[in-house]
Amino acid sequence: MDIGKVAKASGLPTSTLRFYEEKGLIESIGRNGLRRVFSPQVINTLALISLGRNVGLSLDEIGAMLHPKGVHIDRPLLLSKADELDKKITEMTAMRDGLRHAAACQAPSHAECPKFLRLLNIAGKKRYRPKRPL
Amino acid sequence: MDIGKVAKASGLPTSTLRFYEEKGLIESIGRNGLRRVFSPQVINTLALISLGRNVGLSLDEIGAMLHPKGVHIDRPLLLSKADELDKKITEMTAMRDGLRHAAACQAPSHAECPKFLRLLNIAGKKRYRPKRPL
DNA sequence: CTAATACTTCAAGTCGACTTGAAGTCAAGA
DNA sequence: TCTTGACTTCAAGTCGACTTGAAGTATTAG
């Protein structure tokens, strides 16, 4: 496939595809004259990259997962990323519930609605105590 | 509280706090000479902002939730953000499971492991059919 | 064969989210 | 009172992730 087909199939602009290739995230399998030739397989990789971006991974992080350094996959890295995602999922769930509450809530400002703050686990974490002059 | 206290309490550098103030995400309640004075309440707002950033919202989006335009909270906006989060949560969950599988999997490349791709819902979405010359 | 169109490279530009640096002010503790 | 360290402003710099533009080339439809 040439780059235009890949662009259509993936929904990404050709500029992005060249950029990803330059970054080493994808590879072309050769050239037809000047033109890059890609394997259809690249579509999967691109879907994977988009998904990764969408869940908040950087291109470098995605790159590290795509082609591990050395012979073996860096399993601890994958597992720690999975754990990070777990944390984010928890936060997102809280945020989602908070937003749904806020949409139904009468408080003037979300940052002042105790239920909202409690949903987000923000309320009363640390109290500020002004230093009283002796 | 002065900006240094807020920085300590929130874990954010003072430069970020000034930046957020300039963007209208937080407010100081006055000045002591030149120095900004913040209400302890700002800590909640900052926690909210950090949470929002962490789940992938832009500062502008967070700002829109923090102080709705007009008199009323933009409930449809909140609900649509909540829906977006739901989608991301689904993707993240898939990605997390995918990563955990990949860490245990023997395939040479994740992008070639059918189970991984299936977990991420990537596999076989569209097949590329090279145009055969007539 | 020819012309259009899709590709090529490379440098520079953009955008969001901050950070850094220079130069100056000021509140507070010794 | 004096000094010092925490603050101030404002402009410019940085970083990741792309996008845009200019200038050129080559595949392919007609």
Side-chain angles (χ1 to χ4, degrees):
Chain A
M1 326 170 63
D2 76 9
I3 203 172
K5 296 260 173 182
V6 177
K8 269 191 189 156
S10 67
L12 297 168
T14 59
S15 59
T16 300
L17 300 176
R18 292 194 196 93
F19 176 72
Y20 283 177
E21 192 196 25
E22 199 177 341
K23 282 225 102 185
L25 294 175
I26 58 175
E27 288 188 357
S28 56
I29 55 181
R31 296 268 175 152
N32 173 20
L34 263 192
R35 304 177 172 207
R36 289 165 182 79
V37 176
F38 291 96
S39 130
Q41 155 69 43
V42 82
I43 301 298
N44 280 351
T45 306
L46 288 169
L48 189 45
I49 295 170
S50 297
L51 208 52
R53 295 283 304 125
N54 210 2
V55 305
L57 303 176
S58 72
L59 293 183
D60 285 351
E61 287 174 325
I62 295 168
M65 293 170 188
L66 244 33
H67 9 255
K69 302 197 175 191
V71 172
H72 287 302
I73 291 172
D74 186 346
R75 296 172 202 284
L77 173 69
L78 298 183
L79 292 174
S80 88
K81 282 294 153 202
D83 288 349
E84 272 178 40
L85 287 181
D86 259 338
K87 204 181 141 216
K88 276 203 185 182
I89 289 167
T90 302
E91 289 181 358
M92 278 203 176
T93 304
M95 179 65 93
R96 178 202 59 190
D97 293 344
L99 291 180
R100 295 219 164 105
H101 167 74
C105 172
Q106 294 309 314
S109 154
H110 319 332
E112 274 157 69
C113 166
K115 181 166 179 188
F116 182 71
L117 295 176
R118 206 177 60 244
L119 277 169
L120 301 195
N121 239 320
I122 283 176
K125 277 197 175 160
K126 38 190 123 187
R127 291 208 165 281
Y128 170 68
R129 294 238 149 258
K131 225 184 272 173
R132 178 152 342 171
L134 315 176
Chain B
M1 326 170 65
D2 76 9
I3 202 172
K5 298 260 172 180
V6 178
K8 269 191 188 156
S10 67
L12 297 168
T14 59
S15 58
T16 301
L17 300 177
R18 292 194 196 94
F19 176 71
Y20 283 178
E21 193 196 25
E22 199 176 343
K23 281 226 103 185
L25 294 175
I26 59 176
E27 289 189 355
S28 56
I29 56 181
R31 295 269 175 151
N32 173 20
L34 263 189
R35 304 175 173 208
R36 289 166 181 79
V37 176
F38 291 96
S39 131
Q41 154 70 43
V42 82
I43 301 298
N44 280 351
T45 306
L46 288 169
L48 190 46
I49 294 170
S50 297
L51 208 52
R53 294 282 304 123
N54 211 2
V55 305
L57 303 176
S58 72
L59 293 183
D60 284 350
E61 287 174 326
I62 295 168
M65 292 171 190
L66 244 33
H67 8 255
K69 301 197 174 191
V71 173
H72 289 303
I73 292 171
D74 186 346
R75 296 169 203 286
L77 173 69
L78 298 183
L79 292 174
S80 88
K81 283 293 153 200
D83 289 349
E84 272 178 39
L85 287 181
D86 260 338
K87 203 182 142 213
K88 276 202 185 182
I89 289 167
T90 302
E91 288 181 357
M92 279 202 177
T93 304
M95 178 65 94
R96 179 202 60 191
D97 294 343
L99 291 180
R100 295 219 163 105
H101 167 74
C105 172
Q106 296 307 316
S109 155
H110 319 331
E112 274 158 68
C113 166
K115 181 167 179 189
F116 182 71
L117 295 177
R118 205 178 60 245
L119 277 169
L120 300 195
N121 239 320
I122 284 176
K125 278 196 176 159
K126 40 189 122 188
R127 292 208 164 281
Y128 171 68
R129 296 235 149 259
K131 225 182 274 172
R132 178 150 344 170
L134 314 176

